[in-house]
Amino acid sequence: MPKTSARLLALLSLLQTRRDWSGEDLAARLDVSTRTVRRDVDRLRDLGYPITAFKGPDGGYRLDAGSQLPPLLFDDDQAVALAVALQTAAATGAGIQDAAERALNTVRQVMPARLHHRIDMLRVTAVTPSDARPAQADSRVLMAISTAIHAREELRFHYAPAFRSAQDQDQDQDQDQGAADRRRVQPHHLITWRGRWYLLAWDADRADWRTFRVDRISPGSPTGPRFTPREVPGGDVASFVTGRFRGSGGPADWPCRGEVILDLPAADVSPYIHDGAVEEVGLNRCRLVLGSWSWNGLAAAVGRFDADIEVVGPAELKAAFAHLARRYAAAAPAPVDDGSTIGH
């Protein structure tokens, strides 16, 4: 490779590693004069790289974002990391699987031979847990939400209702009924939880923090006024969101918690209770303490065990079982009278 071309690639690599470089620092790294650095920067600009000069004691350069995507330069570790990320893109639920596959093929074609073997040996299959039941989020919706978060602008959207299983009731804290709701929120973070995308936001109308499933969001236009971001309670987004999904006050503080006796051995129940507690109380009987976002959700979660149930308490859980019993009875087909009872 000609010396000048190799030097241009080295200069480009340096500019990508940090935001600002002084001319003196670049010259020292490349072992050339500052005049040569200026000429090489001009050559990179001619190739489409948006490099700006800034004033200062020594002057310097910055690689900015442009209107077009110029050729990129990755070191070996970056190229391998990019390939791995593209192989697992389908598991994100962001609706970019096809684009990720095309991008992976493009990256692989331009990789040097020494990296082909590393990439071919590193085949990754992203497996989503069977109980996560991921829902694809529209990449355009994700971008619209991300833009509002970055701009610190209120987001207005329609929030569509959806059928929720017991698991969904545990994970989707917003359980308003009826047609699609109009929402006005201050968006703060996009997060993923068990294979789904969620928006963490301050609900301006309800004056409280909310999580919204992105696959149920239809953003409106335009966005609302700018806002000053609030601090997430506790200061840590991951801890706060985990606590919200598991219980409003934290991992051990579900809004609804109940106790039942199941006609099953504790060993058969314990693998499926996650945050609950189970103890043996007799031959093939166990005590189960479990939490959920709602009493109906808690009753449904207990009902999935194929066993007789004795409700210890509280009264709200007993009422939830009665409510579900009426609902399930109404959903069952009417018994067919075959005439066998006639005359009795």
Side-chain angles (χ1 to χ4, degrees):
M1 179 182 294
K3 184 176 181 180
T4 300
S5 299
R7 192 175 65 244
L8 288 177
L9 290 176
L11 173 59
L12 179 59
S13 180
L14 289 172
L15 289 171
Q16 291 179 157
T17 58
R18 73 186 195 205
R19 180 170 175 78
D20 295 332
W21 283 90
S22 70
E24 293 289 344
D25 286 345
L26 289 172
R29 289 292 191 98
L30 299 171
D31 195 22
V32 296
S33 67
T34 55
R35 182 179 179 182
T36 299
V37 170
R38 286 195 297 270
R39 289 201 303 265
D40 287 349
V41 166
D42 288 337
R43 293 188 179 101
L44 288 176
R45 287 169 175 161
D46 291 339
L47 293 174
Y49 292 96
I51 302 173
T52 59
F54 61 88
K55 296 181 179 180
D58 301 318
Y61 302 95
R62 176 184 303 137
L63 181 61
D64 286 334
S67 59
Q68 296 181 340
L69 185 66
L72 302 177
L73 183 66
F74 300 102
D75 61 30
D76 289 7
D77 290 338
Q78 289 174 325
V80 173
L82 178 62
V84 172
L86 291 171
Q87 288 187 57
T88 58
T92 66
I96 57 173
Q97 181 175 0
D98 292 341
E101 290 178 356
R102 296 197 306 271
L104 179 60
N105 290 333
T106 300
V107 170
R108 192 184 182 283
Q109 287 176 4
V110 298
M111 280 183 176
R114 67 179 182 277
L115 293 182
H116 282 181
H117 179 68
R118 293 178 64 182
I119 298 303
D120 290 343
M121 291 291 291
L122 189 60
R123 290 297 179 183
V124 180
T125 300
V127 178
T128 302
S130 59
D131 61 348
R133 304 200 317 206
Q136 289 289 324
D138 191 320
S139 59
R140 292 170 295 183
V141 176
L142 290 173
M143 288 301 301
I145 295 174
S146 297
T147 300
I149 292 173
H150 181 75
R152 298 180 177 179
E153 294 177 343
E154 283 191 356
L155 186 65
R156 298 163 182 172
F157 58 86
H158 289 278
Y159 195 54
F163 170 79
R164 285 183 295 275
S165 64
Q167 175 184 345
D168 289 337
Q169 291 178 3
D170 287 347
Q171 292 188 358
D172 186 0
Q173 80 175 74
D174 196 284
Q175 300 184 33
D176 292 350
Q177 304 296 320
D181 288 336
R182 288 186 60 86
R183 297 302 181 97
R184 181 172 61 91
V185 304
Q186 297 175 359
H188 281 259
H189 293 82
L190 275 171
I191 56 177
T192 58
W193 175 270
R194 299 178 66 81
R196 283 196 172 113
W197 285 89
Y198 291 86
L199 166 65
L200 173 63
W202 174 263
D203 192 313
D205 296 324
R206 290 159 178 78
D208 194 10
W209 291 94
R210 288 288 193 270
T211 53
F212 301 93
R213 272 178 42 183
V214 172
D215 60 303
R216 294 170 55 190
I217 290 177
S218 298
S221 180
T223 53
R226 292 176 61 86
F227 65 90
T228 300
R230 303 167 184 266
E231 183 177 358
V232 174
D236 182 76
V237 174
S239 297
F240 176 73
V241 171
T242 300
R244 274 298 177 103
F245 281 139
R246 298 175 67 187
S248 60
D253 187 18
W254 289 104
C256 304
R257 183 173 291 276
E259 180 179 340
V260 301
I261 302 296
L262 295 177
D263 284 351
L264 282 174
D268 292 348
V269 176
S270 58
Y272 306 101
I273 62 170
H274 302 294
D275 300 324
V278 62
E279 63 173 313
E280 202 82 49
V281 294
L283 182 62
N284 294 330
R285 300 190 83 209
C286 68
R287 182 188 311 274
L288 173 63
V289 178
L290 198 61
S292 178
W293 271 108
S294 69
W295 293 112
N296 286 345
L298 179 55
V302 174
R304 63 182 171 163
F305 296 102
D306 187 15
D308 290 337
I309 303 167
E310 175 189 340
V311 179
V312 177
E316 291 86 349
L317 180 57
K318 294 182 179 181
F321 274 108
H323 175 74
L324 290 183
R326 292 191 296 270
R327 176 178 293 174
Y328 293 158
V336 178
D337 189 349
D338 59 4
S340 60
T341 59
I342 297 177
H344 294 277

